[in-house]
């Protein structure tokens, strides 16, 4: 009986893995279909493609950022610590806050 229960558990785990792969296939297929709609390769940032591929992003205490993609892939990149100093841009005479 224990052997049967172990095989049932293994079958359930395999079925769950198959379902995850099928869902991933649908996601990848939808993404590829979106890319095929475009006549040219991506040459600049496209927020719709970014949204379709990225699940979420983590900013880590060690000054790295981890991108977690919808397929489960994780990529970490270092970021510069601290805040950069930016020069104030000269406006066109109108301020954005109505002054």
């Amino acid at each position: 009986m224990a052997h049967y229960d172990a095989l049932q558990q293994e079958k359930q785990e395999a079925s769950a893995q198959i379902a995850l792969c099928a869902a991933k296939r649908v996601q990848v297929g939808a993404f590829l279909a979106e890319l095929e709609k475009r006549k040219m390769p991506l040459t600049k940032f496209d927020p719709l493609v970014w949204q379709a591929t990225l699940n979420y992003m983590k900013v880590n205490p060690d000054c790295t950022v981890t991108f977690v993609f919808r397929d489960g892939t994780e990529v970490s990149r270092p970021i510069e610590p601290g805040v950069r100093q930016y020069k104030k841009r000269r406006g066109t005479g109108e301020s954005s806050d109505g002054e």
Side-chain angles (χ1 to χ4, degrees):
M1 199 64 176
H3 181 66
Y4 174 77
D5 289 340
L7 288 175
Q8 277 297 97
Q9 180 68 28
E10 195 174 313
K11 180 185 174 197
Q12 287 176 346
E13 290 172 3
S15 294
Q17 195 68 12
I18 289 169
L20 285 173
C21 288
K24 186 175 179 179
R25 181 176 181 255
V26 169
Q27 287 180 336
V28 170
F31 176 67
L32 291 175
E34 180 65 31
L35 286 179
E36 286 178 2
K37 288 179 190 176
R38 301 170 187 279
K39 304 258 188 252
M40 301 290 291
L42 293 174
T43 58
K44 63 180 183 172
F45 178 77
D46 185 336
L48 294 176
V49 173
W50 183 254
Q51 181 182 6
T53 58
L54 190 70
N55 192 12
Y56 62 93
M57 184 175 80
K58 297 185 288 188
V59 179
N60 305 308
D62 64 349
C63 291
T64 62
V65 63
T66 302
F67 300 95
V68 181
F69 294 91
R70 294 192 185 272
D71 69 353
T73 304
E74 293 189 18
V75 176
S76 293
R77 295 286 185 258
I79 55 175
E80 292 181 28
V83 178
R84 294 183 188 169
Q85 294 294 326
Y86 290 98
K87 292 183 181 178
K88 201 172 196 178
R89 293 185 186 181
R90 292 185 179 236
T92 59
E94 295 180 23
S95 106
S96 61
D97 60 358
E99 292 180 337

